[in-house]
Amino acid sequence: KSATITTTSKNNSSTVVKSIMIKIKETPTGWLRVRSEPSVDASESAKVNPGESYALVEEQPNWYKILYNDEQEGWVAAQYSEKVN
């Protein structure tokens, strides 16, 4: 298991898992939606591109919560992303 640390930023950010990144895989659309909640019905917060990597914040079945744009958090589908060190 990876060690975790708690960080605090302007928005009282949550726990960030050290040294585990989420890399975005190729998708049929050429980009992947970042969602506000771990659900396909949740609103879209942003779009990320294949090949990009983001810090893992939290994990739920079939979803990864990532840190993007320095201080924003959102969920991406595990189907189109993978853990890397």
Side-chain angles (χ1 to χ4, degrees), residues 23-25 27 29-34 44 46-54 66-69 75-76 80-81:
K23 184 176 181 181
I24 308 305
K25 296 179 185 178
T27 67
T29 58
W31 44 265
L32 182 61
R33 287 181 177 89
V34 179
E44 181 182 307
K47 291 179 183 174
V48 292
N49 298 309
E52 295 175 342
S53 295
Y54 301 92
I66 60 169
L67 183 65
Y68 67 99
N69 291 343
W75 295 90
V76 293
Y80 296 109
S81 50

Side-chain angles (χ1 to χ4, degrees), residues 8-42:
T8 304
S9 65
K10 292 178 193 171
N11 63 357
N12 248 353
S13 189
S14 50
T15 302
V16 175
V17 179
K18 275 285 202 196
S19 77
I20 296 182
M21 301 292 285
I22 299 301
K23 184 176 181 181
I24 308 305
K25 296 179 185 178
E26 290 297 323
T27 67
T29 58
W31 44 265
L32 182 61
R33 287 181 177 89
V34 179
R35 299 195 177 269
S36 59
E37 300 292 330
S39 167
V40 294
D41 296 324

